Amino acid sequence: MIGILALQGNFSSHIQILNKLGYDSKLVKSSKDLDNIDGLIIPGGESTTMTKLIAREDRFVKSIKSFSKKHPILGTCAGLILMSKNSFDDKVINFGIIDIESERNAYGRQVHSFDTRLDLDYNSKNTSFMASFIRAPKISKVGKNVQVICNHDGIPVAVKEGMHFATTFHPELQNEALIHQLCFGDG
Amino acid sequence: MNKNTFKVKVGLAEMLRGGVIMDVTNVEQAKIAEEAGAVSVMALERIPADIRADGGVSRMSNPQMIKDIQAAVSIPVMAKCRIGHFAEAQVLEALEIDFIDESEVLTPADEHAHVYKHPFKAPFVCGARNLGEALRRIDEGAALIRTKGEAGSGNIVEAVRHMKMITSELSNLKEQNLSEKAKEFRVSLELVEEVAENGKLPVPNFAAGGIATPADTSLMMQLGAESVFVGSGIFKSDDPKERAYAIVEAVTHFDNAKEILNASYKLKDAMKGLEISEIPEDQLLQKRGD
């Protein structure tokens, strides 16, 4: 059973991917919803809105952090920002689950959003897939234990640290299950 | 690399799901909206309730005011153009607006045609009262549909009517003669077939027009809206800051009555609403554009 943080954002496309992979899914709206799930997705949406809604419950952040000690978390776009160590913005909370620094809306406004083909370079799996970058962030710094698994124009766009994965793009908008499979499957 | 494809435009609409898009008329209100958790702000000079009261011709907002709001917040900024006024839409696109609302709230510029939206880089949202209207807008290139409701009325009845109409037409579509439906709707058969097959619109469907309280929000979400636009409801109330946050909470927890109750406790008076039958027929905003 994989949970999807469902405070705001595009949870339904992630549910479709999980269905495709044969996983049950559950919407997570409070810390008690983290019980009995084996992994968590932090979806795309507005990181400022999610920050506001996470803060409603005192122990939510703490619960997510302790969940991350035992279970894999996948963050896409806004999810990557929240999982970062720092995104240098007071309006946004950072869990520090992956040792990266990120910058919000780094490609500019919506007219600069794009789809592109990316090459995955991970565990000798060389494959390519389509990804959507929607008002996407950029990863500005990568810690020493972080593995970069995809680049675009020489900039890291997908990373892995321990069992956690984060992408600046949306595989789920392309109905692409690859990253979900890496994170929640057996690799 | 593909920029500005239909998929990329709909992609932003998908990210706005489960959120609140708030009408704001200045930088201060935009900051309040962002601070309260809005997913986006709609920059406009006058909120619909005031447009209704003031009368006269209502146009695209002053670009400087929109630009100031873009500079003040980090969430996407939307702005409205008049129905059919493709030059206003071009100006908004040049301003790098994140979403253009081709809106019945402004005075229509063309009584026969909406903007042909496919060639634009910026995505469009359009209002609809029924499935035919929604599909015509999608055929023209809209990346997001919202109910028209009756803007500036503070009365939810029209948004409910429009949402239920679209939902029931969607669920019945499969049993209909699709080529007749395509003719009736004045859209391509391919689009009607796709929608009949999936049982849903190919773009997200949000609620707008008359939402004033957390319970209104919950109602529209339970009826199938994926997000809500709140226009006059927030900054025409006695407690914009608290109400804005309460409506954000209400979208996330729409199916939990205790949460809606908690969100409602702390609020003062909502905006004063209008009885729809008391609005003169020629002043109904939802009748603009078809």
Side-chain angles (χ1 to χ4, degrees):
Chain A
M1 172 89 73
I2 307 297
I4 302 161
L5 189 67
L7 298 172
Q8 186 274 321
N10 180 26
F11 358 114
S12 50
S13 303
H14 285 286
I15 294 172
Q16 272 176 34
I17 304 270
L18 293 174
N19 284 343
K20 207 163 119 173
L21 292 173
Y23 294 117
D24 290 332
S25 56
K26 175 182 169 184
L27 298 183
V28 172
K29 295 191 181 193
S30 70
S31 60
K32 69 172 172 16
D33 297 329
L34 292 167
D35 297 343
N36 306 319
I37 57 172
D38 309 303
L40 179 69
I41 295 173
I42 307 180
E46 284 304 316
S47 51
T48 50
T49 303
M50 292 187 212
T51 296
K52 191 77 188 171
L53 288 160
I54 287 167
R56 284 175 80 238
E57 192 194 343
D58 290 341
R59 58 201 178 104
F60 208 171
V61 173
K62 220 174 163 184
S63 302
I64 292 172
K65 282 184 184 172
S66 56
F67 181 87
S68 75
K69 307 283 182 225
K70 294 179 206 138
H71 303 286
I73 302 185
L74 165 63
T76 62
C77 196
L80 174 138
I81 295 165
L82 298 187
M83 287 173 79
S84 301
K85 205 169 182 184
N86 202 341
S87 54
F88 307 98
D89 188 333
D90 296 345
K91 288 178 282 198
V92 172
I93 191 167
N94 300 114
F95 301 146
I97 292 171
I98 294 186
D99 185 13
I100 51 170
E101 291 177 0
S102 56
E103 186 193 341
R104 297 177 61 215
N105 305 332
Y107 294 86
R109 298 183 187 281
Q110 172 63 12
V111 294
H112 304 289
S113 293
F114 58 96
D115 283 344
T116 195
R117 186 161 279 283
L118 296 174
D119 294 317
L120 177 79
D121 180 16
Y122 174 64
N123 271 5
S124 68
K125 267 188 189 171
N126 286 310
T127 178
S128 75
F129 61 97
M130 286 299 291
S132 300
F133 290 74
I134 308 291
R135 286 172 49 96
K138 278 185 184 167
I139 297 169
S140 47
K141 199 173 166 192
V142 176
K144 64 177 182 338
N145 296 321
V146 176
Q147 187 180 354
V148 175
I149 61 169
C150 274
N151 283 288
H152 174 65
D153 278 350
I155 304 170
V157 292
V159 291
K160 174 186 190 290
E161 183 174 9
M163 57 190 151
H164 308 302
F165 287 76
T167 65
T168 61
F169 54 84
H170 299 280
E172 78 286 0
L173 284 182
Q174 300 282 345
N175 201 21
E176 173 54 66
L178 183 64
I179 308 283
H180 293 70
Q181 206 167 3
L182 292 177
C183 188
F184 303 117
D186 37 24
Chain B
M1 186 166 95
N2 312 309
K3 273 188 158 186
N4 320 122
T5 59
F6 189 62
K7 200 167 210 161
V8 167
K9 294 179 194 175
V10 176
L12 180 57
E14 309 248 26
M15 294 311 138
L16 300 173
R17 281 177 167 157
V20 187
I21 299 127
M22 301 183 192
D23 278 4
V24 297
T25 59
N26 56 46
V27 165
E28 190 201 348
Q29 289 181 355
K31 285 182 173 167
I32 291 172
E34 184 181 48
E35 166 63 25
V39 286
S40 175
V41 289
M42 175 79 69
L44 74 175
E45 271 165 350
R46 290 177 295 172
I47 54 175
D50 290 336
I51 291 175
R52 190 180 281 290
D54 295 353
V57 172
S58 187
R59 311 179 182 91
M60 175 186 78
S61 296
N62 182 327
Q64 185 60 51
M65 167 261 182
I66 299 172
K67 203 175 169 185
D68 291 344
I69 289 175
Q70 285 176 311
V73 296
S74 62
I75 52 180
V77 178
M78 303 190 182
K80 293 182 193 293
C81 75
R82 284 179 264 180
I83 289 175
H85 206 314
F86 54 84
E88 282 186 350
Q90 288 162 351
V91 171
L92 292 174
E93 180 174 279
L95 196 57
E96 296 199 351
I97 204 79
D98 292 297
F99 240 106
I100 299 171
D101 184 7
E102 187 182 17
S103 177
E104 68 281 5
V105 165
L106 305 185
T107 310
D110 188 324
E111 292 185 336
H112 304 290
H114 279 69
V115 173
Y116 186 64
K117 295 167 264 289
H118 281 295
F120 282 82
K121 292 179 194 160
F124 280 75
V125 50
C126 290
R129 291 164 295 174
N130 51 52
L131 184 58
E133 204 174 355
L135 295 186
R136 282 191 288 284
R137 298 297 86 78
I138 294 167
D139 224 19
E140 293 156 1
L144 173 60
I145 293 296
R146 56 170 175 77
T147 57
K148 280 182 165 173
E150 186 57 33
S153 69
N155 189 337
I156 198 69
V157 66
E158 296 302 304
V160 168
R161 189 194 314 281
H162 301 157
M163 186 56 76
K164 286 178 97 167
M165 177 63 87
I166 291 174
T167 311
S168 74
E169 286 183 281
L170 276 171
S171 62
N172 295 332
L173 189 60
K174 222 171 177 173
E175 296 128 43
Q176 316 274 322
N177 179 325
L178 297 185
S179 53
E180 270 176 26
K181 275 289 170 191
K183 258 181 228 155
E184 179 197 323
F185 291 160
R186 290 174 274 136
V187 298
S188 69
L189 180 59
E190 291 75 15
L191 178 60
V192 176
E193 282 173 342
E194 183 196 336
V195 171
E197 175 65 30
N198 297 328
K200 62 186 186 78
L201 297 177
V203 305
N205 186 15
F206 292 2
I211 295 162
T213 67
D216 285 348
T217 307
S218 169
L219 176 66
M220 293 314 299
M221 294 293 289
Q222 291 191 57
L223 288 174
E226 297 175 274
S227 278
V228 300
F229 283 83
V230 185
S232 317
I234 290 171
F235 291 100
K236 270 286 164 193
S237 72
D238 291 343
D239 49 0
K241 210 181 255 185
E242 293 75 15
R243 186 163 296 266
Y245 178 53
I247 290 178
V248 169
E249 291 181 292
V251 169
T252 300
H253 300 284
F254 72 92
D255 53 356
N256 183 335
K258 271 190 187 157
E259 294 275 12
I260 305 299
L261 172 66
N262 284 334
S264 309
Y265 270 136
K266 47 204 163 190
L267 300 181
K268 296 179 189 154
D269 285 346
M271 72 177 281
K272 189 169 160 21
L274 286 171
E275 168 58 46
I276 303 295
S277 61
E278 284 168 12
I279 304 172
E281 183 83 8
D282 62 343
Q283 287 175 30
L284 282 174
L285 301 176
Q286 59 178 286
K287 300 243 159 135
R288 294 167 163 183
D290 182 49

